[in-house]
């Protein structure tokens, strides 16, 4: 892991030959842009997935979204009511497999 005031770079080697690397750019105090590369062995050889995403933070809300090289789009909206409670709304679209999902949650942190 390497971190500066405006960027974070990580690289991790996992068991069984998996490898992941990320780069996050702090555009401003409330905006982050990220990229990720995941490489893992499969029975057919090596498989890799690349993704790009962003996070936009407000004082009590945040919006995150990600698009990967396998055609999946995911997003998350979080609204914090206070330090202990929050409401989450998420969705994911998997274009190649024609799968769509949506979810919501309420978190209570004690």
């Amino acid at each position: 892991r390497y971190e500066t005031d405006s960027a974070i770079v990580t690289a991790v080697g996992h068991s069984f030959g998996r490898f992941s690397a990320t780069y996050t750019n702090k555009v401003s105090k409330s905006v982050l842009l990220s990229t990720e590369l995941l490489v893992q062995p499969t029975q057919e050889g090596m498989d890799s997935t690349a993704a790009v995403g962003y996070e936009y933070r407000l004082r009590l809300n945040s919006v995150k979204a990600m698009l990967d090289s396998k055609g999946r789009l995911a997003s998350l909206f979080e609204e914090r009511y206070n330090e202990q409670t929050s409401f989450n709304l998420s969705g994911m679209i998997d274009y190649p497999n024609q799968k769509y999902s949506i979810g919501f949650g309420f978190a209570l942190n004690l």
Side-chain angles (χ1 to χ4, degrees):
R1 179 181 170 109
Y2 176 74
E3 186 171 348
T4 66
D5 291 338
S6 63
I8 302 170
V9 178
T10 62
V12 179
H14 304 276
S15 59
F16 304 110
R18 285 184 56 198
F19 172 78
S20 64
T22 62
Y23 171 76
T24 301
N25 185 16
K26 298 176 186 175
V27 177
S28 69
K29 185 177 178 180
S30 60
V31 178
L32 299 173
L33 299 176
S34 296
T35 60
E36 178 183 41
L37 174 66
L38 175 63
V39 179
Q40 56 190 2
T42 63
Q43 292 178 348
E44 294 82 30
M46 297 298 276
D47 182 41
S48 63
T49 304
V52 295
Y54 75 91
E55 179 177 2
Y56 183 68
R57 295 182 206 163
L58 298 170
R59 190 168 52 92
L60 293 175
N61 301 330
S62 67
V63 177
K64 301 175 187 178
M66 177 200 75
L67 176 64
D68 71 14
S69 61
K70 296 192 185 283
R72 294 177 293 211
L73 174 65
S75 65
L76 171 70
F77 170 76
E78 178 183 32
E79 182 171 355
R80 291 179 297 279
Y81 298 110
N82 54 42
E83 292 293 322
Q84 290 81 26
T85 57
S86 66
F87 173 75
N88 299 316
L89 180 62
S90 65
M92 183 170 173
I93 300 172
D94 187 350
Y95 287 109
N97 297 316
Q98 298 294 309
K99 294 181 181 178
Y100 311 96
S101 60
I102 189 168
F104 65 92
F106 185 76
L108 180 61
N109 300 315
L110 300 175

